[in-house]
Amino acid sequence: MIERLMNPERPYGEPAYSKFSEQINQLQQDISGQLAPQAKEHLEQLTDMYIRRETAALHDAFSEGFRAAIQLMLDLYRKGVIQP
């Protein structure tokens, strides 16, 4: 259900998202150039885990916001503030 509500074409968080992404990528490249192969692999794993964590948090926050909006709508409907 949540996947139907989020628009994959919409650039959420722009323009700040792109700015921070560029900074993250630059730092990752700088650090990666200083690391041994095994440490580079760990850095890539860390980056992947960070992305998965943020995706999970975004999904949960969006779901919670949607539920709160529905609850507010139902409360207003019950009070007669809005009509069907």
Side-chain angles (χ1 to χ4, degrees):
M1 174 67 168
I2 188 87
E3 289 77 16
R4 291 176 54 196
L5 298 173
M6 293 183 74
N7 180 357
E9 303 291 323
R10 186 180 186 287
Y12 295 103
E14 290 299 343
Y17 184 89
S18 290
K19 177 184 146 194
F20 292 130
S21 291
E22 288 177 26
Q23 292 174 352
I24 289 167
N25 289 336
Q26 185 60 52
L27 286 170
Q28 184 180 12
Q29 287 176 3
D30 292 349
I31 292 170
S32 182
Q34 301 172 29
L35 298 175
Q38 184 179 11
K40 285 182 186 182
E41 184 178 324
H42 287 164
L43 178 60
E44 288 177 20
Q45 290 172 353
L46 179 63
T47 301
D48 289 343
M49 305 249 335
Y50 175 77
I51 291 169
R52 283 189 239 149
R53 182 189 75 180
E54 294 305 307
T55 300
L58 175 64
H59 187 275
D60 195 41
F62 191 90
S63 297
E64 183 64 27
F66 182 76
R67 283 191 295 269
I70 294 296
Q71 186 61 52
L72 176 62
M73 220 169 59
L74 289 171
D75 290 347
L76 293 174
Y77 175 74
R78 289 181 190 126
K79 293 178 181 179
V81 176
I82 60 173
Q83 302 296 319

